[in-house]
Coordinates of all heavy atoms in Angstrom, one line a residue:
M1 N 102.4 128.4 144.7 CA 102.2 127.0 145.0 C 103.0 126.6 146.2 O 103.4 125.3 146.3 CB 102.4 126.2 143.8 CG 101.5 126.3 142.6 SD 101.7 124.9 141.6 CE 100.2 124.7 140.8
K2 N 103.3 127.4 147.0 CA 104.2 127.1 148.2 C 103.3 126.3 149.2 O 102.2 126.6 149.4 CB 104.7 128.4 148.8 CG 105.8 129.0 148.0 CD 106.4 130.2 148.8 CE 107.5 130.8 148.0 NZ 108.0 132.0 148.7
N3 N 104.0 125.4 149.9 CA 103.3 124.7 151.0 C 102.1 123.9 150.6 O 101.2 123.8 151.4 CB 103.0 125.6 152.1 CG 104.3 126.2 152.8 OD1 105.3 125.5 152.8 ND2 104.2 127.4 153.2
E4 N 102.0 123.5 149.3 CA 100.9 122.7 148.9 C 101.3 121.2 148.7 O 102.5 121.0 148.3 CB 100.3 123.2 147.6 CG 99.7 124.6 147.7 CD 99.0 125.0 146.5 OE1 98.3 124.2 145.8 OE2 99.1 126.2 146.1
T5 N 100.4 120.3 149.0 CA 100.7 118.9 148.8 C 99.9 118.3 147.7 O 98.7 118.6 147.6 CB 100.4 118.1 150.1 OG1 101.0 118.7 151.2 CG2 100.7 116.7 150.0
F6 N 100.6 117.6 146.8 CA 100.0 117.0 145.7 C 100.1 115.5 145.8 O 101.2 115.0 146.2 CB 100.6 117.5 144.4 CG 100.4 118.9 144.1 CD1 101.4 119.8 144.5 CD2 99.2 119.4 143.6 CE1 101.1 121.2 144.3 CE2 99.0 120.7 143.4 CZ 100.0 121.7 143.7
L7 N 99.0 114.8 145.5 CA 99.0 113.3 145.6 C 98.8 112.7 144.2 O 97.9 113.2 143.5 CB 98.0 112.8 146.6 CG 98.1 113.4 148.0 CD1 96.9 112.9 148.9 CD2 99.4 112.8 148.7
S8 N 99.3 111.6 144.0 CA 99.0 110.9 142.7 C 97.6 110.4 142.8 O 97.1 110.2 143.9 CB 100.0 109.7 142.6 OG 99.7 108.7 143.5
P9 N 97.0 110.1 141.6 CA 95.7 109.6 141.6 C 95.5 108.3 142.4 O 94.6 108.0 143.1 CB 95.4 109.4 140.2 CG 96.2 110.3 139.5 CD 97.5 110.4 140.3
T10 N 96.5 107.4 142.4 CA 96.6 106.2 143.1 C 96.5 106.4 144.6 O 95.7 105.8 145.3 CB 97.8 105.3 142.7 OG1 97.9 105.1 141.3 CG2 97.8 104.0 143.4
I11 N 97.4 107.2 145.1 CA 97.4 107.5 146.5 C 96.1 108.2 146.9 O 95.5 107.9 148.0 CB 98.6 108.4 146.9 CG1 99.9 107.7 146.6 CG2 98.5 108.9 148.3 CD1 100.2 106.5 147.4
S12 N 95.6 109.1 146.1 CA 94.3 109.8 146.4 C 93.2 108.8 146.6 O 92.4 108.9 147.5 CB 93.9 110.8 145.3 OG 94.9 111.8 145.3
K13 N 93.2 107.8 145.7 CA 92.1 106.8 145.7 C 92.2 105.9 147.0 O 91.2 105.7 147.6 CB 92.2 105.8 144.5 CG 91.2 104.8 144.4 CD 91.3 103.9 143.2 CE 90.2 102.8 143.2 NZ 90.3 102.0 142.1
V14 N 93.4 105.6 147.4 CA 93.7 104.8 148.6 C 93.2 105.6 149.8 O 92.5 105.0 150.7 CB 95.1 104.4 148.8 CG1 95.4 103.8 150.1 CG2 95.5 103.4 147.7
L15 N 93.5 106.8 149.9 CA 93.1 107.7 151.0 C 91.6 107.8 151.1 O 91.0 107.8 152.2 CB 93.8 109.1 150.9 CG 95.3 109.1 151.2 CD1 95.8 110.5 151.0 CD2 95.6 108.7 152.7
V16 N 90.9 108.1 149.9 CA 89.5 108.2 150.0 C 88.8 106.9 150.4 O 87.9 106.9 151.2 CB 89.0 108.7 148.6 CG1 87.5 108.5 148.5 CG2 89.4 110.1 148.3
E17 N 89.3 105.8 149.9 CA 88.7 104.5 150.2 C 88.9 104.2 151.8 O 88.0 103.8 152.4 CB 89.3 103.3 149.4 CG 88.8 103.4 148.0 CD 89.5 102.3 147.2 OE1 90.2 101.5 147.6 OE2 89.3 102.4 145.9
A18 N 90.1 104.5 152.3 CA 90.3 104.3 153.7 C 89.4 105.2 154.6 O 88.9 104.8 155.6 CB 91.8 104.6 154.0
Y19 N 89.2 106.4 154.1 CA 88.3 107.3 154.8 C 86.9 106.9 154.8 O 86.2 107.0 155.8 CB 88.4 108.8 154.2 CG 87.5 109.8 154.8 CD1 87.8 110.3 156.0 CD2 86.3 110.2 154.2 CE1 87.0 111.3 156.6 CE2 85.5 111.1 154.8 CZ 85.8 111.6 156.0 OH 85.0 112.6 156.6
R20 N 86.4 106.3 153.7 CA 85.0 105.9 153.6 C 84.8 104.5 154.2 O 83.6 104.2 154.6 CB 84.6 105.8 152.1 CG 84.5 107.1 151.4 CD 84.0 106.9 150.0 NE 83.7 108.2 149.4 CZ 83.5 108.3 148.1 NH1 83.5 107.2 147.3 NH2 83.2 109.4 147.6
S21 N 85.8 103.7 154.3 CA 85.5 102.4 154.9 C 85.3 102.4 156.3 O 85.9 103.2 157.1 CB 86.7 101.4 154.5 OG 87.8 101.8 155.2
P22 N 84.4 101.5 156.8 CA 84.2 101.5 158.2 C 85.4 100.9 158.9 O 86.1 100.0 158.5 CB 83.0 100.5 158.4 CG 82.9 99.8 157.1 CD 83.6 100.6 156.1
R23 N 85.8 101.6 160.0 CA 87.0 101.2 160.8 C 86.6 100.5 162.1 O 85.6 100.7 162.6 CB 87.8 102.5 161.1 CG 88.4 103.0 159.8 CD 89.2 104.3 160.2 NE 88.1 105.3 160.0 CZ 88.4 106.6 160.4 NH1 89.5 107.0 160.8 NH2 87.4 107.5 160.2
K24 N 87.5 99.7 162.5 CA 87.3 98.9 163.8 C 87.1 99.9 164.9 O 86.2 99.7 165.7 CB 88.5 98.0 164.1 CG 88.3 97.2 165.2 CD 89.5 96.3 165.4 CE 89.4 95.3 166.6 NZ 90.5 94.4 166.7
S25 N 87.8 101.0 165.0 CA 87.7 102.0 166.1 C 86.4 102.6 166.0 O 85.8 102.9 167.1 CB 88.8 103.0 166.0 OG 88.8 103.7 164.8
S26 N 85.8 102.9 164.8 CA 84.5 103.5 164.8 C 83.4 102.5 165.3 O 82.4 102.9 165.9 CB 84.1 104.0 163.3 OG 84.0 102.9 162.5
S27 N 83.6 101.2 165.0 CA 82.7 100.3 165.5 C 82.8 100.3 167.1 O 81.7 100.2 167.8 CB 83.0 98.8 165.0 OG 82.4 97.9 165.7
H28 N 84.0 100.4 167.6 CA 84.1 100.5 169.1 C 83.5 101.7 169.6 O 82.8 101.7 170.6 CB 85.6 100.5 169.4 CG 86.3 99.2 169.4 ND1 85.7 98.0 168.9 CD2 87.6 98.8 169.7 CE1 86.5 97.0 169.0 NE2 87.7 97.4 169.5
A29 N 83.6 102.8 168.9 CA 83.1 104.1 169.3 C 81.5 104.0 169.3 O 80.9 104.5 170.2 CB 83.6 105.2 168.4
E30 N 81.0 103.4 168.3 CA 79.5 103.2 168.3 C 79.0 102.4 169.4 O 78.0 102.7 170.0 CB 79.1 102.6 166.9 CG 79.2 103.5 165.7 CD 78.4 104.7 165.9 OE1 77.3 104.7 166.3 OE2 79.0 105.8 165.5
R31 N 79.7 101.3 169.8 CA 79.3 100.5 170.9 C 79.5 101.3 172.2 O 78.6 101.2 173.1 CB 80.1 99.2 171.0 CG 79.7 98.3 169.8 CD 80.5 97.0 169.6 NE 81.3 96.5 170.7 CZ 82.4 95.8 170.5 NH1 82.8 95.5 169.3 NH2 83.0 95.3 171.5
Y32 N 80.6 102.1 172.3 CA 80.8 102.9 173.5 C 79.7 103.9 173.7 O 79.3 104.2 174.8 CB 82.1 103.5 173.4 CG 82.5 104.4 174.6 CD1 82.9 103.9 175.8 CD2 82.5 105.8 174.4 CE1 83.2 104.7 176.8 CE2 82.9 106.6 175.4 CZ 83.3 106.1 176.7 OH 83.6 106.9 177.7
K33 N 79.1 104.4 172.6 CA 78.1 105.4 172.7 C 76.8 104.8 173.3 O 75.9 105.6 173.8 CB 77.8 106.0 171.3 CG 78.8 107.0 170.8 CD 78.4 107.4 169.5 CE 79.4 108.3 168.8 NZ 79.1 108.8 167.4
Q34 N 76.7 103.5 173.3 CA 75.5 102.9 173.9 C 75.5 103.0 175.5 O 74.4 102.8 176.1 CB 75.4 101.4 173.5 CG 75.2 101.3 172.0 CD 75.2 99.8 171.6 OE1 75.3 98.9 172.5 NE2 75.1 99.5 170.3
L35 N 76.6 103.2 176.0 CA 76.7 103.3 177.5 C 76.1 104.6 178.1 O 76.2 105.6 177.4 CB 78.2 103.2 177.9 CG 79.0 102.0 177.5 CD1 80.4 102.1 178.0 CD2 78.3 100.7 178.0
S36 N 75.5 104.4 179.2 CA 75.0 105.6 179.9 C 76.2 106.4 180.4 O 77.3 105.9 180.5 CB 74.1 105.2 181.0 OG 74.9 104.6 182.1
N37 N 75.9 107.7 180.9 CA 77.0 108.5 181.4 C 77.6 107.8 182.6 O 78.9 107.8 182.8 CB 76.5 109.9 181.8 CG 76.2 110.7 180.6 OD1 76.7 110.5 179.5 ND2 75.3 111.7 180.7
R38 N 76.8 107.2 183.5 CA 77.4 106.6 184.7 C 78.2 105.3 184.3 O 79.2 105.1 184.9 CB 76.2 106.1 185.6 CG 76.7 105.5 186.9 CD 77.6 106.4 187.7 NE 76.9 106.9 188.8 CZ 77.5 107.6 189.7 NH1 78.7 107.9 189.7 NH2 76.8 108.1 190.7
E39 N 77.7 104.6 183.3 CA 78.5 103.4 182.8 C 79.8 103.8 182.2 O 80.8 103.2 182.5 CB 77.6 102.6 181.8 CG 76.5 101.8 182.4 CD 75.5 101.3 181.4 OE1 75.5 101.8 180.3 OE2 74.7 100.5 181.8
R40 N 79.8 105.0 181.5 CA 81.1 105.5 181.0 C 82.0 105.9 182.1 O 83.2 105.6 182.0 CB 80.8 106.7 180.1 CG 80.2 106.3 178.8 CD 79.9 107.5 177.9 NE 79.1 107.2 176.8 CZ 78.6 108.0 175.9 NH1 79.0 109.3 176.0 NH2 77.9 107.6 175.0
E41 N 81.5 106.4 183.1 CA 82.3 106.8 184.3 C 82.9 105.6 185.0 O 84.1 105.6 185.3 CB 81.4 107.6 185.3 CG 82.1 108.3 186.4 CD 81.2 109.1 187.2 OE1 80.0 109.0 187.1 OE2 81.7 109.9 188.1
V42 N 82.1 104.6 185.2 CA 82.6 103.4 185.8 C 83.6 102.7 184.9 O 84.6 102.2 185.4 CB 81.4 102.4 186.1 CG1 81.9 101.0 186.5 CG2 80.5 103.0 187.2
F43 N 83.3 102.6 183.6 CA 84.2 102.0 182.6 C 85.6 102.7 182.7 O 86.6 102.1 182.7 CB 83.6 102.1 181.2 CG 84.4 101.5 180.1 CD1 85.1 100.4 180.3 CD2 84.5 102.1 178.9 CE1 85.9 99.8 179.3 CE2 85.2 101.5 177.8 CZ 85.9 100.4 178.1
Q44 N 85.6 104.1 182.7 CA 86.8 104.8 182.8 C 87.6 104.4 184.0 O 88.8 104.2 184.0 CB 86.5 106.3 182.8 CG 87.7 107.2 182.8 CD 88.5 107.2 181.5 OE1 88.0 107.3 180.5 NE2 89.9 107.1 181.7
L45 N 87.0 104.4 185.2 CA 87.6 104.0 186.4 C 88.1 102.6 186.4 O 89.2 102.3 186.9 CB 86.7 104.3 187.6 CG 86.3 105.8 187.8 CD1 85.1 105.8 188.9 CD2 87.5 106.5 188.3
I46 N 87.4 101.7 185.8 CA 87.9 100.3 185.7 C 89.1 100.3 184.8 O 90.1 99.7 185.2 CB 86.8 99.4 185.1 CG1 85.6 99.2 186.0 CG2 87.4 98.1 184.6 CD1 84.4 98.5 185.4
A47 N 89.1 101.0 183.7 CA 90.2 101.1 182.8 C 91.4 101.7 183.4 O 92.6 101.4 183.1 CB 89.8 101.8 181.5
E48 N 91.2 102.6 184.3 CA 92.3 103.2 185.1 C 92.9 102.4 186.2 O 93.8 102.7 186.9 CB 91.9 104.6 185.6 CG 91.6 105.6 184.6 CD 91.0 106.9 185.1 OE1 90.8 107.0 186.3 OE2 90.8 107.8 184.2
G49 N 92.2 101.2 186.4 CA 92.8 100.3 187.4 C 92.2 100.3 188.8 O 92.7 99.7 189.7
Q50 N 91.2 101.1 188.9 CA 90.5 101.2 190.2 C 89.8 99.9 190.6 O 89.2 99.3 189.7 CB 89.5 102.3 190.2 CG 90.1 103.7 189.9 CD 91.1 104.2 190.9 OE1 90.9 103.9 192.1 NE2 92.1 104.9 190.5
S51 N 89.8 99.5 191.8 CA 89.1 98.3 192.3 C 87.6 98.6 192.4 O 87.2 99.8 192.4 CB 89.6 97.8 193.6 OG 89.3 98.7 194.6
T52 N 86.8 97.5 192.5 CA 85.4 97.7 192.7 C 85.1 98.5 193.9 O 84.3 99.4 193.9 CB 84.7 96.3 192.7 OG1 85.0 95.6 191.6 CG2 83.2 96.4 192.9
R53 N 85.8 98.2 195.0 CA 85.6 99.0 196.3 C 86.0 100.4 196.1 O 85.2 101.3 196.5 CB 86.5 98.3 197.3 CG 86.8 99.2 198.6 CD 85.7 99.4 199.6 NE 85.3 98.1 200.3 CZ 84.1 98.0 200.9 NH1 83.3 99.0 200.8 NH2 83.8 96.9 201.5
Q54 N 87.1 100.7 195.4 CA 87.5 102.1 195.2 C 86.5 102.9 194.4 O 86.1 104.0 194.7 CB 88.9 102.2 194.5 CG 90.0 101.7 195.4 CD 91.3 101.5 194.6 OE1 91.3 101.0 193.5 NE2 92.4 101.9 195.3
I55 N 86.0 102.2 193.3 CA 85.0 102.8 192.5 C 83.7 103.2 193.3 O 83.2 104.3 193.2 CB 84.6 102.0 191.3 CG1 85.9 101.9 190.3 CG2 83.5 102.6 190.5 CD1 85.8 100.8 189.3
A56 N 83.3 102.2 194.1 CA 82.1 102.4 194.9 C 82.3 103.6 195.9 O 81.4 104.4 196.0 CB 81.8 101.1 195.7
D57 N 83.4 103.6 196.5 CA 83.7 104.7 197.4 C 83.8 106.1 196.7 O 83.2 107.0 197.2 CB 85.0 104.5 198.2 CG 84.9 103.3 199.2 OD1 83.8 102.9 199.5 OD2 86.0 102.9 199.6
M58 N 84.4 106.1 195.5 CA 84.5 107.3 194.8 C 83.2 107.9 194.3 O 83.0 109.0 194.3 CB 85.4 107.1 193.5 CG 86.9 106.9 193.9 SD 87.8 106.4 192.5 CE 88.4 107.9 191.8
L59 N 82.3 106.9 193.9 CA 81.0 107.3 193.4 C 79.9 107.3 194.4 O 78.7 107.7 194.1 CB 80.6 106.4 192.2 CG 81.6 106.4 191.0 CD1 81.1 105.4 189.9 CD2 81.8 107.8 190.5
C60 N 80.2 107.0 195.7 CA 79.3 107.0 196.7 C 78.1 106.0 196.4 O 76.9 106.4 196.6 CB 78.8 108.3 197.1 SG 80.1 109.4 197.6
V61 N 78.5 104.8 195.9 CA 77.4 103.8 195.6 C 77.9 102.5 196.3 O 79.0 102.4 196.8 CB 77.2 103.6 194.1 CG1 76.6 104.9 193.5 CG2 78.4 103.2 193.4
S62 N 77.1 101.5 196.3 CA 77.4 100.2 196.8 C 78.3 99.4 195.8 O 78.3 99.7 194.6 CB 76.2 99.4 197.2 OG 75.6 98.9 196.0
I63 N 79.0 98.4 196.4 CA 79.8 97.5 195.6 C 78.9 96.8 194.6 O 79.3 96.6 193.4 CB 80.6 96.6 196.5 CG1 81.7 97.3 197.2 CG2 81.2 95.4 195.7 CD1 82.4 96.5 198.3
S64 N 77.8 96.4 195.0 CA 76.9 95.6 194.1 C 76.4 96.5 192.9 O 76.2 96.1 191.8 CB 75.7 95.0 194.8 OG 74.9 96.0 195.3
T65 N 76.3 97.8 193.2 CA 76.0 98.8 192.1 C 77.0 98.8 191.1 O 76.8 98.8 189.8 CB 75.6 100.2 192.6 OG1 74.5 100.1 193.5 CG2 75.3 101.1 191.5
V66 N 78.3 98.9 191.5 CA 79.4 98.9 190.6 C 79.5 97.6 189.8 O 79.7 97.6 188.6 CB 80.7 99.2 191.4 CG1 81.9 99.0 190.4 CG2 80.7 100.5 192.1
K67 N 79.2 96.5 190.5 CA 79.3 95.2 189.8 C 78.2 95.1 188.8 O 78.4 94.6 187.6 CB 79.1 94.1 190.8 CG 80.3 93.9 191.7 CD 80.1 92.7 192.7 CE 81.3 92.4 193.6 NZ 81.1 91.4 194.5
T68 N 77.0 95.7 189.1 CA 75.9 95.7 188.1 C 76.3 96.5 186.9 O 76.1 96.2 185.7 CB 74.7 96.2 188.7 OG1 74.2 95.3 189.8 CG2 73.5 96.3 187.7
H69 N 76.9 97.7 187.2 CA 77.3 98.6 186.0 C 78.4 97.9 185.2 O 78.3 98.0 184.0 CB 77.9 99.9 186.6 CG 76.9 100.9 187.0 ND1 75.8 101.3 186.3 CD2 76.9 101.7 188.2 CE1 75.1 102.2 186.9 NE2 75.7 102.4 188.1
R70 N 79.3 97.2 185.8 CA 80.4 96.5 185.1 C 79.7 95.4 184.2 O 80.1 95.3 183.0 CB 81.4 95.9 186.0 CG 82.5 95.2 185.3 CD 83.6 94.7 186.1 NE 83.1 93.7 187.1 CZ 83.3 93.8 188.4 NH1 84.0 94.8 188.9 NH2 82.8 92.9 189.2
A71 N 78.8 94.7 184.7 CA 78.1 93.6 184.0 C 77.3 94.2 182.7 O 77.4 93.7 181.7 CB 77.1 92.8 184.9
N72 N 76.6 95.3 183.0 CA 75.9 96.0 181.9 C 76.9 96.6 180.8 O 76.6 96.5 179.6 CB 75.1 97.2 182.5 CG 73.9 96.7 183.3 OD1 73.5 95.6 183.2 ND2 73.4 97.6 184.2
I73 N 78.0 97.1 181.3 CA 79.0 97.6 180.4 C 79.5 96.5 179.5 O 79.6 96.6 178.3 CB 80.2 98.3 181.1 CG1 79.7 99.5 181.8 CG2 81.4 98.5 180.2 CD1 80.7 100.0 182.9
M74 N 79.9 95.3 180.1 CA 80.4 94.2 179.4 C 79.4 93.7 178.4 O 79.7 93.3 177.3 CB 80.9 93.2 180.3 CG 82.2 93.7 181.1 SD 82.8 92.6 182.3 CE 83.5 91.3 181.3
E75 N 78.1 93.6 178.8 CA 77.1 93.2 178.0 C 76.8 94.1 176.8 O 76.8 93.6 175.6 CB 75.7 93.0 178.7 CG 74.6 92.4 177.8 CD 73.3 92.3 178.6 OE1 73.4 92.1 179.9 OE2 72.3 92.3 178.0
K76 N 76.8 95.4 177.0 CA 76.6 96.4 175.9 C 77.7 96.4 175.0 O 77.5 96.6 173.8 CB 76.3 97.7 176.5 CG 75.0 97.9 177.1 CD 74.8 99.3 177.7 CE 73.5 99.5 178.4 NZ 73.3 100.9 178.8
L77 N 78.9 96.2 175.5 CA 80.1 96.2 174.6 C 80.4 94.9 174.0 O 81.4 94.7 173.3 CB 81.3 96.8 175.4 CG 81.2 98.2 175.9 CD1 82.5 98.5 176.7 CD2 80.9 99.1 174.8
N78 N 79.6 93.8 174.4 CA 79.8 92.5 174.0 C 81.2 92.0 174.3 O 81.9 91.5 173.4 CB 79.6 92.3 172.4 CG 79.4 90.9 172.0 OD1 79.0 90.1 172.8 ND2 79.7 90.6 170.8
I79 N 81.6 92.1 175.6 CA 82.9 91.8 176.0 C 82.7 90.7 177.2 O 81.8 90.9 178.1 CB 83.7 93.0 176.6 CG1 84.0 93.9 175.4 CG2 84.9 92.6 177.3 CD1 84.6 95.2 175.8
D80 N 83.5 89.7 177.2 CA 83.3 88.6 178.1 C 84.4 88.5 179.2 O 84.4 87.5 180.0 CB 83.1 87.2 177.4 CG 84.4 86.9 176.5 OD1 85.4 87.6 176.5 OD2 84.3 85.8 175.8
S81 N 85.4 89.4 179.3 CA 86.4 89.3 180.3 C 86.9 90.7 180.7 O 86.9 91.6 179.8 CB 87.5 88.4 179.9 OG 88.4 89.1 179.0
P82 N 87.3 90.9 181.9 CA 87.9 92.2 182.3 C 89.1 92.6 181.5 O 89.3 93.8 181.3 CB 88.2 92.0 183.8 CG 87.3 90.9 184.3 CD 87.1 90.0 183.1
V83 N 89.9 91.6 181.1 CA 91.1 91.9 180.4 C 90.7 92.5 179.0 O 91.3 93.5 178.5 CB 92.0 90.6 180.1 CG1 93.1 90.9 179.2 CG2 92.5 90.2 181.5
K84 N 89.7 91.9 178.4 CA 89.2 92.4 177.1 C 88.6 93.8 177.3 O 88.6 94.6 176.3 CB 88.2 91.5 176.5 CG 88.8 90.2 176.0 CD 87.8 89.3 175.4 CE 88.4 87.9 175.0 NZ 87.4 87.0 174.5
L85 N 88.0 94.0 178.4 CA 87.5 95.3 178.7 C 88.5 96.4 178.7 O 88.4 97.5 178.1 CB 86.7 95.4 180.0 CG 85.8 96.5 180.4 CD1 84.6 96.6 179.4 CD2 85.3 96.4 181.8
I86 N 89.6 96.1 179.4 CA 90.8 97.0 179.4 C 91.3 97.2 178.0 O 91.7 98.4 177.6 CB 91.9 96.5 180.3 CG1 91.4 96.3 181.7 CG2 93.1 97.4 180.3 CD1 90.7 97.5 182.4
H87 N 91.5 96.2 177.2 CA 91.9 96.2 175.8 C 91.0 97.2 175.0 O 91.5 98.0 174.2 CB 92.0 94.8 175.2 CG 92.6 94.8 173.9 ND1 93.9 95.0 173.6 CD2 92.0 94.5 172.6 CE1 94.2 94.9 172.3 NE2 93.0 94.6 171.7
F88 N 89.7 97.0 175.2 CA 88.8 97.9 174.5 C 89.0 99.4 174.9 O 89.0 100.2 174.0 CB 87.3 97.4 174.9 CG 86.2 98.0 174.1 CD1 85.7 97.3 173.0 CD2 85.7 99.3 174.4 CE1 84.7 97.9 172.3 CE2 84.6 99.8 173.7 CZ 84.1 99.1 172.6
A89 N 89.2 99.6 176.1 CA 89.5 101.0 176.6 C 90.8 101.6 176.0 O 90.8 102.7 175.6 CB 89.6 101.0 178.1
I90 N 91.8 100.8 175.8 CA 93.0 101.2 175.2 C 92.7 101.5 173.7 O 93.2 102.5 173.2 CB 94.1 100.1 175.3 CG1 94.6 100.0 176.8 CG2 95.3 100.4 174.4 CD1 95.4 98.9 177.1
Q91 N 92.0 100.6 173.0 CA 91.7 100.9 171.6 C 90.9 102.2 171.5 O 91.1 102.9 170.5 CB 90.9 99.7 171.0 CG 91.8 98.5 170.9 CD 91.0 97.3 170.4 OE1 89.8 97.1 170.6 NE2 91.7 96.5 169.6
L92 N 90.1 102.5 172.4 CA 89.3 103.8 172.3 C 90.1 105.0 172.7 O 89.7 106.1 172.4 CB 88.1 103.7 173.3 CG 86.8 102.9 172.8 CD1 85.8 102.9 173.9 CD2 86.2 103.5 171.6
G93 N 91.3 104.7 173.3 CA 92.1 105.9 173.7 C 91.7 106.4 175.0 O 92.1 107.5 175.3
L94 N 91.0 105.7 175.8 CA 90.5 106.2 177.1 C 91.6 106.1 178.2 O 91.6 106.9 179.1 CB 89.4 105.3 177.7 CG 88.1 105.4 176.8 CD1 87.0 104.5 177.5 CD2 87.6 106.8 176.7
V95 N 92.6 105.2 177.9 CA 93.8 105.1 178.8 C 95.0 104.9 178.0 O 95.0 104.4 176.9 CB 93.6 103.9 179.8 CG1 92.5 104.1 180.8 CG2 93.4 102.6 179.1
D96 N 96.1 105.3 178.6 CA 97.4 105.2 178.0 C 98.0 103.8 178.3 O 98.1 103.4 179.4 CB 98.3 106.3 178.5 CG 99.7 106.2 177.8 OD1 100.0 105.3 176.9 OD2 100.5 107.2 178.1
P97 N 98.2 103.0 177.2 CA 98.7 101.6 177.5 C 100.1 101.6 178.1 O 100.5 100.5 178.7 CB 98.7 100.9 176.1 CG 98.8 102.1 175.2 CD 98.1 103.2 175.8
A98 N 100.8 102.7 178.1 CA 102.2 102.7 178.7 C 102.2 102.9 180.1 O 103.1 102.7 180.8 CB 102.9 103.9 178.1
L99 N 101.0 103.2 180.7 CA 100.9 103.4 182.2 C 100.8 102.1 182.9 O 100.4 101.1 182.6 CB 99.7 104.3 182.5 CG 99.8 105.7 182.0 CD1 98.6 106.6 182.3 CD2 101.0 106.4 182.5

């Protein structure tokens, strides 16, 4: 019985309930999955702090295309401000909040 972990029935119940309950992050992940690959790419670059112009140059698209992607991302994620968009990315673990 070396290196085995035993939990009380109370602790086991709490762990099982926590595992089964829907989590906020899983809700975020489900919404994130609605984005197209290009939208995810744009979202990542926005979260990393790239400007609209920089993103357009990096992806070889127009500025208006990046703005359209950003609007679609915000609509699909039900987010109404760029600050909340960054917060969402941090919660998903797409960017390190310490940076």
Side-chain angles (χ1 to χ4, degrees):
M1 294 199 154
K2 290 183 179 181
N3 297 323
E4 292 187 41
T5 303
F6 296 94
L7 303 173
S8 71
T10 304
I11 297 296
S12 295
K13 182 179 177 182
V14 169
L15 288 173
V16 168
E17 287 175 10
Y19 178 76
R20 287 183 175 171
S21 69
R23 290 175 273 175
K24 185 177 182 180
S25 62
S26 66
S27 171
H28 283 5
E30 289 301 315
R31 289 172 23 206
Y32 179 72
K33 286 180 185 178
Q34 294 176 4
L35 302 179
S36 69
N37 289 337
R38 181 59 105 177
E39 289 168 340
R40 289 179 191 177
E41 189 175 14
V42 170
F43 182 38
Q44 180 72 43
L45 293 169
I46 292 169
E48 290 172 0
Q50 302 295 326
S51 70
T52 302
R53 160 77 64 203
Q54 290 170 321
I55 295 169
D57 290 345
M58 293 169 88
L59 301 179
C60 300
V61 297
S62 72
I63 290 174
S64 65
T65 298
V66 174
K67 288 179 180 180
T68 299
H69 283 309
R70 183 177 57 233
N72 291 339
I73 292 164
M74 292 176 72
E75 183 178 334
K76 287 180 180 181
L77 298 179
N78 195 27
I79 293 174
D80 60 3
S81 78
V83 172
K84 290 179 184 177
L85 191 65
I86 302 304
H87 184 69
F88 191 96
I90 291 169
Q91 289 177 327
L92 280 175
L94 297 178
V95 291
D96 185 354
L99 296 177

